Amino acid sequence: MKTKLVLLCVSLFLIPAVFPAHAKTILDSTGKTVVVPDQISRIICSGPGALRLITYFNAQDLVVAVDDMETARKRFDARPYAIANPQYKKLPVFGEFRGNDDPEKILGLAAQPQVIFKTYAGMGYDPVELSQKTGIPVVVLGYGNLAVQRDIIYNSLRIIGRVLNREDRAEGLIGFFDKQIAELNQRTASVKNKKTCFIGGIAHKGPHGFQSTEPNYPPFEFVNAANIANTSDIKVKNLSHSSFSKEKLLEANPEVLFLDLSTLQMGDGHSGLDELKTDPVYQALDAVADGRVYGVLPYNWYTQNFGSILADAWYVGTVLYPEQFEDVDPVKKADEIYEFLLSAKVYAAMDALFRNKAFKPVDLGAQ
């Protein structure tokens, strides 16, 4: 009995060394226990979308360094969170994009981060090794998908909320997403004889031509669209990004086409827009001949842009179901969404970057 009492006392004495005062434990998206400071004022975000999620928490002032994606100056940049926060470009760089962190640069930062948030842990620097080499806790976040993996992103939002003591904001974000998606569904679920449609030009680790699509494209899912790419075969295979053959597209001859404007990155003469203007197969589509091609904001840009996904869904709704969305101004709706997520209205800046082709019929006239 005396021996057990001694062991208990020793164990209690050792607890503060493992769980120091003013710290707390959380479970990250991998189920790993991570000890983080109770109060956090300095962070960095590694991997696609990590900084976007932190920006949704209005936590920009906590970010002390960025990966090199944020400092690159490109002609096109469809990341609303970056447009709303140009100060990110002026911060020190701690590593390369897609999670290729540099522990030496992190340790050399004048303002040492107390926590590293990391998405897509399977790419770039291993999070366990990164924590071991820097001595900084690494919190892994799952990114998920608003259409079919909403629970993953919601779990990550709650993790961020616990780490930053912003649980109310996490629940506010989740409630916002749920409310938007529920209203889109409510307006469209009972519609009969829906117009068939297709989205081309989807980016996937870089820009692609018009054949590039997303079978589970969230804006289509949210408005119950008749997406010709979302076939029973595709559902069985659970594919996300895919290349849809021109022959199948011509055979289906969808009534409405949408063009993801990220394809414009490919440059004049090479983009999905140029293909629609010059390719005989696309020219044979009724939607092309009759001017039923519409531009939407990029869906994937350093992974999925949740604000743009919702904004695109409202615009797609106005095109496919004009009666059900007659009260909706998609531009105003987009800025309402961006303002809630980013505290900034960035639609006009986004549209200007993509030649003012968003949320309107695409001009397929001569070059």
Side-chain angles (χ1 to χ4, degrees), residues 13-257:
F13 178 77
L14 290 174
I15 285 176
V18 181
F19 301 103
H22 310 300
K24 59 191 173 188
T25 62
I26 60 100
L27 290 178
D28 71 7
S29 289
T30 67
K32 178 168 59 70
T33 298
V34 184
V35 180
V36 299
D38 188 55
Q39 298 295 326
I40 294 172
S41 57
R42 301 180 306 280
I43 63 175
I44 58 175
C45 303
S46 167
L51 188 55
R52 176 182 294 113
L53 297 182
I54 291 302
T55 306
Y56 288 171
F57 278 81
N58 301 314
Q60 299 93 315
D61 59 319
L62 307 184
V63 180
V64 297
V66 295
D67 69 23
D68 64 359
M69 168 63 80
E70 305 304 326
T71 59
R73 284 171 168 75
K74 297 181 179 179
R75 179 183 173 192
F76 299 101
D77 191 345
R79 295 170 300 135
Y81 76 89
I83 294 171
N85 293 277
Q87 74 274 14
Y88 286 155
K89 292 183 179 294
K90 300 177 182 179
L91 291 175
V93 173
F94 66 79
E96 297 178 3
F97 79 130
R98 293 180 181 165
N100 290 293
D101 314 306
D102 187 330
E104 291 186 8
K105 287 185 178 179
I106 292 173
L107 291 172
L109 293 171
Q112 276 290 289
Q114 297 162 284
V115 170
I116 300 171
F117 288 102
K118 190 173 182 68
T119 57
Y120 295 92
M123 67 169 62
Y125 213 96
D126 178 74
V128 174
E129 186 177 352
L130 181 63
S131 182
Q132 291 172 343
K133 287 198 172 182
T134 61
I136 300 168
V138 177
V139 177
V140 175
L141 304 171
Y143 205 79
N145 180 304
L146 277 182
V148 293
Q149 295 177 320
R150 215 174 305 163
D151 58 325
I152 294 177
I153 182 60
Y154 286 3
N155 182 51
S156 292
L157 293 174
R158 290 188 169 111
I159 290 170
I160 296 170
R162 287 195 291 272
V163 173
L164 299 183
N165 299 315
R166 302 189 185 195
E167 291 93 339
D168 288 349
R169 178 60 175 173
E171 296 307 320
L173 288 165
I174 291 168
F176 178 79
F177 289 137
D178 278 344
K179 184 178 179 180
Q180 292 277 319
I181 294 167
E183 184 175 351
L184 288 162
N185 177 67
Q186 184 273 329
R187 286 176 181 247
T188 59
S190 62
V191 176
K192 308 296 183 184
N193 301 317
K194 295 170 182 172
K195 298 173 184 175
T196 55
C197 58
F198 177 83
I199 172 81
I202 295 282
H204 182 71
K205 296 182 179 179
H208 291 272
F210 193 71
Q211 286 179 257
S212 177
T213 194
E214 188 84 14
N216 293 311
Y217 181 58
F220 284 175
E221 295 288 302
F222 298 157
V223 299
N224 300 288
N227 179 10
I228 65 163
N230 197 2
T231 64
S232 57
D233 182 52
I234 290 291
K235 290 178 180 177
V236 169
K237 294 179 181 178
N238 195 29
L239 294 177
S240 53
H241 175 265
S242 69
S243 181
F244 201 78
S245 76
K246 295 180 183 180
E247 292 75 14
K248 287 185 178 180
L249 187 59
L250 185 59
E251 180 183 351
N253 197 17
E255 296 170 81
V256 180
L257 297 176

Side-chain angles (χ1 to χ4, degrees), residues 289-328:
D290 298 337
R292 296 192 302 272
V293 183
Y294 303 88
V296 292
L297 294 170
Y299 159 48
N300 277 327
W301 205 291
Y302 211 31
T303 200
Q304 298 171 34
N305 296 291
F306 295 132
S308 296
I309 286 171
L310 291 175
D312 283 342
W314 284 99
Y315 175 63
V316 167
T318 66
V319 174
L320 297 180
Y321 315 98
E323 292 183 6
Q324 284 75 16
F325 288 81
E326 61 182 357
D327 61 322
V328 175

